């Protein structure tokens, strides 16, 4: 295991023979978040503090490292809100339907994500997606957002998506289930309102 930071993103990399690492198992390199997120940019909360979501769409916060002999885990802890929140689910509406996007804050290539929408999807695997987090794009575009000239959404390595076509015009409960890099389970919910 190796750890690095100061990138204002969170990433998991597994280095094998193709990358010059010849160990029995791939070497895990974990890029850890910056506590200031996106340099304290974004709309101010009720206390007057900018939201500071990182450029990959993850809330600002920090990581905890737990070591037990030769085993380890990391855990992301958001600076504000619920300390166990590990996933944010967004719904992006389009002409033909909608896209459900899950930002798994400490997700990586070994993370699996499924989505359930009663009557529409049953434990459907979500696809890992490159690109910008739509929630962050909305947050940084707000008129009341604190801005710095170099802050802009960046590609995220921890987004998953599921596309829904022809959604009936009613509200639906969306459940996203995650199995993270260390095998831990996380669940998040949102409401898909097809009338929106």
């Amino acid at each position: 295991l190796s750890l690095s930071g100061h990138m204002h993103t969170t990433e998991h990399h597994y280095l094998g023979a193709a990358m010059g690492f010849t160990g029995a198992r791939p070497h895990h390199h974990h890029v850890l978040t910056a506590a200031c997120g996106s340099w304290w940019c974004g709309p101010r909360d009720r206390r007057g503090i900018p939201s500071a979501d990182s450029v990959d769409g993850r809330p600002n916060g920090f990581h905890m490292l737990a070591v037990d002999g030769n085993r380890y885990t990391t855990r992301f802890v958001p600076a504000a809100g619920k300390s166990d929140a590990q996933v944010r689910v967004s719904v992006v509406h389009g002409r033909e339907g909608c896209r459900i996007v899950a930002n798994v804050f400490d997700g990586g290539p070994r993370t699996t994500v499924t989505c359930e929408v009663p009557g529409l999807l049953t434990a459907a695997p979500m696809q890992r997606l490159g690109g910008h987090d739509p929630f962050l794009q909305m947050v940084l575009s707000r008129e009341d957002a604190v801005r710095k000239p170099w802050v802009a959404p960046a590609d995220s390595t921890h987004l998953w998506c599921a596309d829904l076509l022809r959604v009936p015009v009613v509200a639906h409960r969306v459940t996203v289930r995650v199995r993270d890099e260390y095998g831990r389970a996380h669940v998040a919910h949102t409401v898909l309102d097809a009338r929106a």
Side-chain angles (χ1 to χ4, degrees):
L1 171 68
S2 57
L3 306 167
S4 65
H6 208 67
M7 296 297 296
H8 301 268
T9 60
T10 294
E11 303 169 23
H12 289 269
H13 301 279
Y14 296 93
L15 312 176
M19 302 289 281
F21 183 74
T22 58
R25 294 182 300 168
H27 175 83
H28 183 192
H29 180 70
H30 193 2
V31 179
L32 307 174
T33 184
C36 69
S38 58
W39 297 268
W40 307 112
C41 289
R44 296 181 189 277
D45 65 14
R46 61 183 170 74
R47 301 165 297 166
I49 299 171
S51 61
D53 292 286
S54 294
V55 294
D56 61 2
R58 180 198 24 73
N60 73 310
F62 58 92
H63 281 87
M64 299 287 292
L65 171 66
V67 179
D68 181 9
N70 65 352
R71 294 179 303 160
Y72 64 91
T73 59
T74 59
R75 181 173 65 90
F76 173 70
V77 180
K82 295 181 179 179
S83 64
D84 61 347
Q86 298 296 305
V87 185
R88 180 191 306 113
V89 182
S90 304
V91 177
V92 180
H93 294 276
R95 293 178 186 254
E96 300 297 321
C98 66
R99 170 170 278 186
I100 299 167
V101 179
N103 189 327
V104 181
F105 303 144
D106 197 18
R110 295 182 177 174
T111 299
T112 58
V113 185
T114 61
C115 182
E116 300 169 13
V117 183
L120 299 174
L121 289 176
T122 304
M126 297 180 77
Q127 301 301 310
R128 196 164 175 218
L129 170 74
H132 300 166
D133 184 328
F135 176 83
L136 178 68
Q137 290 176 306
M138 179 271 302
V139 164
L140 290 181
S141 70
R142 285 183 41 178
E143 289 184 12
D144 61 340
V146 174
R147 291 181 178 80
K148 294 193 169 74
W150 62 87
V151 173
D155 285 346
S156 176
T157 62
H158 42 84
L159 296 178
W160 280 258
C161 74
D163 292 318
L164 292 173
L165 302 177
R166 299 185 235 16
V167 179
V169 185
V170 292
H172 305 274
R173 177 183 168 107
V174 177
T175 301
V176 170
R177 299 184 189 283
V178 173
R179 184 73 55 188
D180 72 12
E181 298 293 289
Y182 306 103
R184 298 172 299 206
H186 308 284
V187 178
H189 306 280
T190 195
V191 173
L192 162 59
D193 189 347
R195 300 163 290 190

